Amino acid sequence: MNEHSVVRRMFDAAFGTRPTPRDSYHQGGHSGWYVPADDVPHTRTWMSWPSRRSVWGRHLGGVQEDIALIARTVAAFEPVVLCAPDADTAADARAACGSSVTVIDEIWTDDLWMRDICAVFRSDDHGHLDAVGLNFNGWGNKQKHAYDADVAECVAEWNDLPFHTAEFVGEGGSIETDGDGTVMATESSLVNKNRNRGMSRQEIEDAVLDVYGAERMIWVPGVRGKDITDNHIDVTSRFIRPGVVMVQLPPADRNDVWARDAREQFRILSGETDARGRRLEVMTVEGPDSVRSRKRDFVDSYMNFHVVNGAVVTAQFGDRVKDAAARHALAGAFPGREIVQIDVDRLMAGGGGIHCSTMQEPLP
């Protein structure tokens, strides 16, 4: 029995089997490629080692510690392959991550945001995978990432997978999929001249649906120009399963631009239906009242979690009541999975989180 068969049997024994998007597409006569939901069985998680002081300055060491913690945590549940830009930094990464994490130096990277630079993996009706690059351009040319622009194709080559290039510019964190025909995204990130100049919203939507093998796009406005990503949706709203989303709402006394955006996402999603005609069930979790960090760009998101085989890895912020409430909400959303909360404040002070630093590769 090969490794994939073992993982599949373990996954099915733990969580049972359910009708898959593949089944739905087959029943509907569709045999194309689609991006599976995050909660399908994984072959591995991809990550990248931060190594540039030009990016992180004096905070580099702390961010490296957080990435190593995420890698070790995920590796307790599924294989992790972590990319480093050269042999010396690969040695540093191995020392920090330990033997449970596979570190390679064949795929050069500029930074750690694997969700945005990695290939997006797709499945078909016949147990195959391919990979798509979303034309990463430094979040709208805000930063220069010469190596990161090639990571998606290099990951596909490492896996010996067919590789395709999307007809739009975006990042993996900018699009959420339920794996069953529905995707959602912020307009501020994708319908933006810094990524898709000259394209209408409808043209961008058509291109996204084509890559993701989906039929329905749900747009929320988002926030333009206030962070490097132009407001990726994976910080606020996530698909739990087909027909169900979870939104992080701010404490009642917050009324900044991010709080208003979160409430607007909740309002819009509460009135939406998906590609199968289901009215979305919207679960909520409230953000922390207090955090340890004083950084202006700190991302206080429980929603930036990473689903792995048998667990959900998310953040904690030292707010005992809200951390516990988030853990309880995620346990209810993902029954049978262990909820693991970790302190990655140094990473989240840099504008992203656990989901942003990881990319799952599904089993074929």
Side-chain angles (χ1 to χ4, degrees), residues 148-202:
D148 285 349
D150 294 326
V151 166
E153 186 169 5
C154 291
V155 167
E157 289 177 358
W158 191 90
N159 270 325
D160 195 25
L161 292 176
F163 179 76
H164 310 277
T165 301
E167 295 186 0
F168 68 96
V169 176
E171 303 88 35
S174 68
I175 301 165
E176 271 286 301
T177 180
D178 70 350
D180 195 31
T182 307
V183 293
M184 60 181 178
T186 54
E187 291 190 41
S188 54
S189 185
L190 289 177
V191 189
N192 193 318
K193 64 182 180 182
N194 64 20
R195 292 171 174 83
N196 294 298
R197 181 185 294 273
M199 293 181 71
S200 68
R201 191 180 86 161
Q202 187 61 56

Side-chain angles (χ1 to χ4, degrees), residues 232-245:
H232 278 177
I233 197 161
D234 67 344
V235 169
T236 306
S237 300
R238 302 288 301 277
F239 277 111
I240 301 301
R241 55 186 173 273
V244 182
V245 297

Side-chain angles (χ1 to χ4, degrees), residues 252-268:
D253 60 352
R254 273 189 57 184
N255 197 38
D256 55 68
V257 64
W258 304 110
R260 295 194 297 273
D261 170 65
R263 294 184 183 109
E264 179 69 358
Q265 290 192 31
F266 173 76
R267 185 192 67 79
I268 291 172

Side-chain angles (χ1 to χ4, degrees), residues 70-336:
I70 295 170
R72 292 194 304 270
T73 302
V74 173
F77 299 93
E78 67 187 50
V80 174
V81 174
L82 187 147
C83 301
D86 55 58
D88 290 339
T89 54
D92 294 339
R94 290 188 188 101
C97 295
S99 60
S100 65
V101 176
T102 299
V103 179
I104 63 173
D105 59 12
E106 298 98 322
I107 299 175
W108 293 2
T109 57
D110 296 294
D111 206 356
L112 62 88
W113 307 112
M114 191 57 87
R115 179 64 48 178
D116 292 344
I117 65 177
C118 193
V120 173
F121 297 97
R122 303 191 301 184
S123 299
D124 71 356
D125 290 332
H126 310 290
H128 303 131
L129 286 181
D130 79 351
V132 179
L134 302 187
N135 302 297
F136 179 73
N137 73 342
W139 303 283
N141 296 308
K142 298 184 184 74
Q143 290 184 359
K144 299 299 181 183
H145 288 248
Y147 294 147
D148 285 349
D150 294 326
V151 166
E153 186 169 5
C154 291
V155 167
E157 289 177 358
W158 191 90
N159 270 325
D160 195 25
L161 292 176
F163 179 76
H164 310 277
T165 301
E167 295 186 0
F168 68 96
V169 176
E171 303 88 35
S174 68
I175 301 165
E176 271 286 301
T177 180
D178 70 350
D180 195 31
T182 307
V183 293
M184 60 181 178
T186 54
E187 291 190 41
S188 54
S189 185
L190 289 177
V191 189
N192 193 318
K193 64 182 180 182
N194 64 20
R195 292 171 174 83
N196 294 298
R197 181 185 294 273
M199 293 181 71
S200 68
R201 191 180 86 161
Q202 187 61 56
E203 289 171 331
I204 297 166
E205 177 176 319
D206 290 344
V208 171
L209 293 177
D210 180 62
V211 164
Y212 279 75
E215 302 160 35
R216 177 159 172 70
M217 167 72 87
I218 299 173
W219 291 103
V220 295
V223 178
R224 193 183 304 268
K226 296 295 185 180
D227 78 319
I228 196 169
T229 72
D230 293 298
N231 191 12
H232 278 177
I233 197 161
D234 67 344
V235 169
T236 306
S237 300
R238 302 288 301 277
F239 277 111
I240 301 301
R241 55 186 173 273
V244 182
V245 297
M246 180 177 281
V247 179
Q248 179 167 314
L249 292 174
D253 60 352
R254 273 189 57 184
N255 197 38
D256 55 68
V257 64
W258 304 110
R260 295 194 297 273
D261 170 65
R263 294 184 183 109
E264 179 69 358
Q265 290 192 31
F266 173 76
R267 185 192 67 79
I268 291 172
L269 294 173
S270 296
E272 284 286 354
T273 56
D274 68 8
R276 308 294 168 219
R278 294 172 291 228
R279 178 73 173 264
L280 291 182
E281 175 188 346
V282 184
M283 307 172 72
T284 62
V285 63
E286 192 168 298
D289 291 315
S290 61
V291 297
R292 291 173 292 251
S293 176
R294 295 186 178 181
K295 293 283 288 184
R296 181 175 61 87
D297 294 330
F298 189 79
V299 179
D300 61 347
S301 172
Y302 298 115
M303 288 296 91
N304 202 249
F305 56 76
H306 180 44
V307 181
V308 298
N309 294 338
V312 177
V313 183
T314 190
Q316 55 93 347
F317 303 106
D319 184 327
R320 183 176 57 84
V321 173
K322 293 297 181 64
D323 287 350
R327 185 168 60 251
H328 179 76
L330 288 171
F334 294 100

